[in-house]
Amino acid sequence: MLTNAVLGRGLILLSIALAASGAIVGFWGGRRRTEAAHQWSKSLAYSFGFSLILANVVMIKALIQHDFAVKYVAQVGSRSTPLHITIVSLWSSLEGSILFWGAVLGIFTVAFVYRVADKHRDMAPYTIGTILTIGVFFGVLLAGPANPFLDTPQPIPLDGPGPNPLLQNHLLMIIHPPMLYAGYVGMTIPFAMGVAALLRGRLGAGWMRPIRTWMLIPWGFLTAGIVLGGWWAYEVLGWGGYWAWDPVENASFLPWLTASAFLHAAMLQERRGILKGWTLMLLLTTFCLTILGTFMTRSGVFNSVHSFTQSPIGPAFLVFLGIAMVASIVLVALRMHLLTPEGEVRSPASREAAFIMNNMLFVFFTFLVLVGTVFPLLAEAVRDVKISVGEPYFNRLGVPIAISIVFMMGIGPALPWGRASKDELVKILGPPTAAGLLVTGLAAAMGVRQFLPAVTMFVSGFAAYVSLHDMVEPVLVRHRRGGVAWGTAMAEAWTRGRRRYGGQIVHLGVAMMAVGIALSSSYKIVTEGVIDRGESLSVGDYTLRFEGASQETLPHRRSTIADMTVMDLSGKVLGTLQPRMNHYRGQMNPIGTPAVRSSLFEDLYLSVMTIDPEGKYVGMRAFVNPMIYWIWLAAGIMVLGCLVAGWPTRAEERAAAPAQGAPA
Amino acid sequence: MTDGMKLFVGLMVLIAGGALAFLAYGGIGENLVYYWSPTEMADHGDEAIGAQIRLGGVVEEGTLKWDKVTNDLRFNVSDGTKSVPVEGHSVPPQMFREAVGVVVEGTLREDGVFVSDRLLVKHDNQYQAPEDGSAPDMDALRQSMTPES
């Protein structure tokens, strides 16, 4: 009988078969380069992708149908969960999330084959071979230890516990995981492209450009995913912050750092033909970090080092990580002769040197976070002592590194390639320095006087000036020297330099985020206390009056809502906020939902610690968080810049066609 | 290589070396947070004073005192063998009451009182505090803590 469970298991086994045969054909096609191998590898890749996507569709169908005969549905399904949460519970728990990983990998595979395979016939088969080899690993996981389609043991329950209540609290939980997954899984594609280049023995500009584009895509998703995760933590968890250097957060941040370093190093390689080996290592490391991250978050190793061997999933990821790392190192070592530089760095006062400094800072940051994240695991494994690494470790060095990176963001684009004389340096760096000082002065006038926030103001102003100048100058030049009208000048500058514009938009976003992070961390105000009905609590320039409590009952949860009136210092009513305490069906502990009143420059944030159901009193923690909204907006700007930089142009599409067979 | 470049490379190497040294000897050691039960903390004696600790155990019955006006919170954390007095200055979360599993983050003062900055009480269904006063399963207790709770 074709039940959901049988169908699902069948599709996964099919995907393994397709991936395995496709990988073989891909590698064969890479060596022999026959047309038949090319077409077959494409077809098998497409089929692999669709089979995993279909497996996910079957799971979603099973969830919606409340088919508790499927083990995963029995784990996370519930008849009282609203429909959209039911669909989202696909990725709410371990096995489902690995199944979802498969879907994202399938989508990326299909997209890659569709867009790239025919344009780069020499590289596509090896790339497909690599992608499908990775696909085999995930397929085997899904068929074995992480199988969501197992049959629920008899008796089949009539209802289930529902997904984790933290998932049901907020819209952000619906968007954050897919974004993060797209970022993580997407790194597979540029990794495979890099491996293909090493296998093929050629790494030229012709292949580097698509690699950059296919790295930019997951980078954009990962940026969105990380910030959405922080936003979710802020809006849902109630502790008033958005980042705690938690191992799970660090796991997502590590590949972002190396991917950002790669995007810059790749630019350097393209323009000056240097640092080829370094760029490639960054590419391979980024993928390895995503596997490490998945291992850390999915294996239970952070609850206890000794518990991660309880399921085969943990060790499987560790072994896979080991293979990926060894393969990467071996490949690079074998192709070392390809990686000889074609240029050289002649002066420290040059854009090349700034890029190198940028990369060093990124890699150092990566190392810092990696050590802090992995140290507790090693300590527990070796000395059997349970520790965690506190935030001060990450902030003490991380903040100066981040500030330096923002500073380099300003220096790099300002400096010319090659070398700059002392006079040129003064002319180039003078105006941004003035801009930075102006911003620092303005901020100081508004109360920003502490050292680190003030320095952040300076470097952000400096970098923002350079970005804006870089965007405006080409237009000015065209108009003044070329005698072209403003509109035409802007259109021309845009079409010719779109990648550059995208990059500068991203830089503006980063500068804005730096300001948001610095000010929200340094100038937040926290108050907590118990408020009786009718009484008030003061925080910052706000007064909060507790009017009473109300109850809301839904099928999946019962909430006690605190009605708070928000007033300013003069007593004028600004609005109301309703933070709440939710009791979810089937869960022992209540979970609070904070209420946030956001404006561009300030957030008023209320979190219920404890509440009397009859509304006689409420225990409240209240925060005033300045400039938080800048962080979310900045992330949006960064993603926008990524889209601008990465969106294929018609010129690129036309140019790619005849370039297929051209030597790298 | 020009002299300017030599200087640049030298500076890079210096920074990298200094940074690695800092990592190896500096930052981490001072910023470790230890997960201990009252017994484990007592075993470490004076070493424990001043260190950042997450003390896990059960809120001892009859010891909970909370002043709603001053937010003065006092209770004892016990693991069935040893019990530690805790002082905090915050509004306790909804589930906080006697006989409940708790992880308190803070430092041990010389007079033997644990001063808490943070109370982690939220936990999932899997962990149940032992009713009979026996030692709580520390691993299970830690596992049940949601992040940022």
Side-chain angles (χ1 to χ4, degrees):
Chain A
M1 210 181 54
L2 205 61
T3 59
N4 286 323
V6 169
L7 188 54
R9 291 203 293 267
L11 283 169
I12 291 176
L13 290 173
L14 178 64
S15 76
I16 299 177
L18 291 167
S21 46
I24 296 172
V25 173
F27 287 121
W28 173 268
R31 270 194 75 87
R32 301 293 168 158
R33 276 177 275 155
T34 63
E35 182 60 22
H38 177 81
Q39 294 302 335
W40 268 104
S41 66
K42 274 174 57 186
S43 306
L44 289 167
Y46 275 133
S47 312
F48 161 78
F50 284 121
S51 67
L52 278 180
I53 294 172
L54 216 55
N56 275 263
V57 170
V58 170
M59 181 54 84
I60 293 178
K61 171 171 167 281
L63 284 165
I64 295 179
Q65 288 175 333
H66 300 302
D67 183 359
F68 293 107
V70 177
K71 182 157 156 276
Y72 186 69
V73 180
Q75 246 176 276
V76 304
S78 163
R79 292 186 197 276
S80 56
T81 311
L83 179 65
H84 62 290
I85 304 281
T86 300
I87 298 175
V88 159
S89 56
L90 171 66
W91 54 75
S92 71
S93 189
L94 178 56
E95 294 86 358
S97 70
I98 298 191
L99 181 63
F100 184 59
W101 180 295
V104 180
L105 183 59
I107 296 172
F108 268 102
T109 307
V110 167
F112 173 80
V113 175
Y114 182 68
R115 299 261 337 161
V116 181
D118 286 334
K119 289 187 204 138
H120 294 271
R121 284 178 138 81
D122 52 341
M123 293 295 197
Y126 272 137
T127 312
I128 291 176
T130 311
I131 296 174
L132 293 181
T133 308
I134 296 169
V136 170
F137 169 71
F138 280 96
V140 169
L141 264 190
L142 283 170
N147 196 333
F149 284 111
L150 291 174
D151 295 313
T152 315
Q154 295 284 352
I156 295 175
L158 292 169
D159 203 349
N164 190 322
L166 283 175
L167 266 180
Q168 305 186 43
N169 259 0
H170 207 276
L171 169 71
L172 282 173
M173 206 43 187
I174 296 180
I175 328 174
H176 156 69
M179 290 281 146
L180 210 54
Y181 272 77
Y184 250 48
V185 180
M187 299 291 178
T188 311
I189 311 291
F191 170 76
M193 292 165 83
V195 168
L198 285 170
L199 287 171
R200 184 82 179 75
R202 281 194 348 212
L203 185 66
W207 190 229
M208 269 315 278
R209 275 195 80 129
I211 294 184
R212 270 185 61 193
T213 308
W214 284 86
M215 176 60 99
L216 204 53
I217 299 172
W219 181 91
F221 280 116
L222 192 56
T223 306
I226 293 173
V227 177
L228 282 171
W231 200 351
W232 173 77
Y234 181 70
E235 293 270 340
V236 174
L237 293 178
W239 57 283
Y242 46 84
W243 190 264
W245 295 110
D246 183 80
V248 175
E249 294 168 329
N250 297 347
S252 66
F253 191 46
L254 287 166
W256 185 89
L257 287 168
T258 51
S260 303
F262 168 81
L263 287 169
H264 291 85
M267 261 187 265
L268 196 57
Q269 177 175 341
E270 207 178 315
R271 289 295 290 258
R272 306 299 274 186
I274 55 173
L275 291 188
K276 294 183 186 175
W278 173 260
T279 308
L280 216 44
M281 283 310 301
L282 281 174
L283 176 58
L284 303 173
T285 305
T286 304
F287 176 73
C288 292
L289 284 171
T290 63
I291 301 297
L292 176 67
T294 314
F295 164 71
M296 294 197 298
T297 54
R298 293 285 166 227
S299 64
V301 73
F302 277 102
N303 288 325
S304 162
V305 162
H306 310 293
S307 77
F308 95 95
T309 48
Q310 277 167 17
S311 148
I313 295 179
F317 268 104
L318 210 51
V319 168
F320 184 60
L321 174 64
I323 296 176
M325 282 171 61
V326 167
S328 307
I329 295 175
V330 166
L331 274 175
V332 172
L334 284 176
R335 299 296 193 197
M336 198 56 96
H337 57 278
L338 282 181
L339 306 169
T340 49
E342 290 159 30
E344 60 166 9
V345 184
R346 274 177 281 132
S347 154
S350 65
R351 195 173 298 179
E352 296 95 310
F355 268 68
I356 292 176
M357 175 68 128
N358 151 302
N359 259 241
M360 284 219 46
L361 287 168
F362 268 116
V363 169
F364 183 34
F365 205 171
T366 309
F367 192 63
L368 172 89
V369 175
L370 187 61
V371 169
T373 309
V374 170
F375 190 81
L377 302 178
L378 296 174
E380 193 178 344
V382 171
R383 302 259 313 268
D384 206 23
V385 53
K386 184 83 182 155
I387 53 170
S388 75
V389 178
E391 288 179 54
Y393 162 77
F394 295 98
N395 288 328
R396 242 208 306 172
L397 211 51
V399 169
I401 294 178
I403 292 179
S404 310
I405 292 179
V406 175
F407 187 53
M408 292 316 296
M409 209 171 70
I411 299 251
L415 291 178
W417 295 103
R419 91 180 311 137
S421 69
K422 284 218 183 74
D423 293 328
E424 282 177 306
L425 273 181
V426 171
K427 234 176 47 150
I428 295 170
L429 298 180
T433 311
L437 288 170
L438 182 66
V439 171
T440 314
L442 278 172
M446 294 200 280
V448 180
R449 315 254 166 92
Q450 288 175 26
F451 178 64
L452 281 177
V455 172
T456 312
M457 296 299 111
F458 175 76
V459 298
S460 302
F462 185 94
Y465 178 91
V466 171
S467 297
L468 288 168
H469 177 261
D470 215 49
M471 299 203 312
V472 167
E473 205 216 0
V475 181
L476 279 173
V477 164
R478 280 188 162 77
H479 175 74
R480 288 211 187 118
R481 294 202 208 139
V484 169
W486 280 116
T488 323
M490 286 200 280
E492 270 180 24
W494 179 262
T495 345
R496 291 275 176 77
R498 210 154 52 81
R499 271 203 304 175
R500 191 133 176 201
Y501 273 101
Q504 296 304 358
I505 293 174
V506 173
H507 283 183
L508 279 174
V510 174
M512 191 175 172
M513 191 174 283
V515 169
I517 293 177
L519 295 182
S520 64
S521 320
S522 312
Y523 294 99
K524 71 152 77 165
I525 305 170
V526 191
T527 306
E528 61 183 276
V530 174
I531 321 173
D532 291 321
R533 178 157 46 203
E535 301 293 310
S536 305
L537 178 74
S538 294
V539 61
D541 291 340
Y542 299 94
T543 310
L544 309 160
R545 193 173 61 218
F546 178 47
E547 309 293 357
S550 50
Q551 302 276 340
E552 178 198 66
T553 311
L554 293 173
H556 61 301
R557 73 169 183 222
R558 181 176 46 85
S559 312
T560 308
I561 305 168
D563 291 306
M564 310 294 303
T565 307
V566 180
M567 295 170 288
D568 66 10
L569 287 170
S570 68
K572 187 180 99 175
V573 172
L574 297 169
T576 61
L577 283 174
Q578 277 91 31
R580 52 169 66 201
M581 188 64 84
N582 306 303
H583 294 258
Y584 281 89
R585 230 193 102 252
Q587 302 284 338
M588 196 171 72
N589 272 21
I591 306 222
T593 305
V596 188
R597 185 172 184 275
S598 299
S599 71
L600 186 58
F601 292 104
E602 193 168 74
D603 271 20
L604 173 63
Y605 183 106
L606 301 184
S607 183
V608 174
M609 301 304 294
T610 181
I611 184 165
D612 170 50
E614 286 162 35
K616 294 202 289 274
Y617 66 85
V618 66
M620 183 79 67
R621 200 181 281 166
F623 301 78
V624 175
N625 293 317
M627 305 293 270
I628 289 269
Y629 226 79
W630 281 50
I631 301 175
W632 321 134
L633 286 175
I637 293 175
M638 284 168 74
V639 173
L640 176 69
C642 172
L643 283 169
V644 167
W647 203 265
T649 61
R650 245 172 253 141
E652 276 175 350
E653 307 206 9
R654 269 183 269 126
Q660 293 174 32
Chain B
M1 216 193 283
T2 66
D3 283 337
M5 276 313 292
K6 285 206 189 110
L7 194 61
F8 181 68
V9 173
L11 193 63
M12 294 274 122
V13 172
L14 214 67
I15 293 177
L20 287 171
F22 181 92
L23 275 181
Y25 298 107
I28 280 210
E30 299 154 28
N31 288 300
L32 295 177
V33 179
Y34 298 89
Y35 286 80
W36 281 333
S37 67
T39 310
E40 286 168 326
M41 194 167 77
D43 286 342
H44 280 84
D46 283 343
E47 263 183 57
I49 295 176
Q52 194 74 10
I53 299 168
R54 285 192 180 182
L55 184 66
V58 171
V59 179
E60 203 176 6
E61 303 226 23
T63 63
L64 177 54
K65 289 186 207 60
W66 175 42
D67 186 325
K68 266 165 47 170
V69 175
T70 59
N71 278 343
D72 231 27
L73 179 66
R74 275 157 215 267
F75 58 97
N76 283 11
V77 172
S78 154
D79 59 0
T81 315
K82 277 203 136 41
S83 135
V84 177
V86 177
E87 251 175 46
H89 194 79
S90 60
V91 178
Q94 187 86 9
M95 280 307 284
F96 187 75
R97 41 169 203 275
E98 289 172 352
V100 113
V102 66
V103 173
V104 185
E105 184 169 333
T107 47
L108 183 63
R109 221 165 42 195
E110 287 104 30
D111 62 358
V113 174
F114 192 85
V115 180
S116 109
D117 315 310
R118 253 198 330 175
L119 273 180
L120 304 155
V121 163
K122 286 205 204 85
H123 49 255
D124 60 29
N125 287 355
Q126 266 84 22
Y127 178 74
Q128 303 280 358
E131 316 263 296
D132 53 4
S134 60
D137 180 343
M138 291 303 292
D139 274 341
L141 176 60
R142 286 177 210 127
Q143 274 190 43
S144 70
M145 293 292 156
T146 55
E148 271 71 84
S149 35

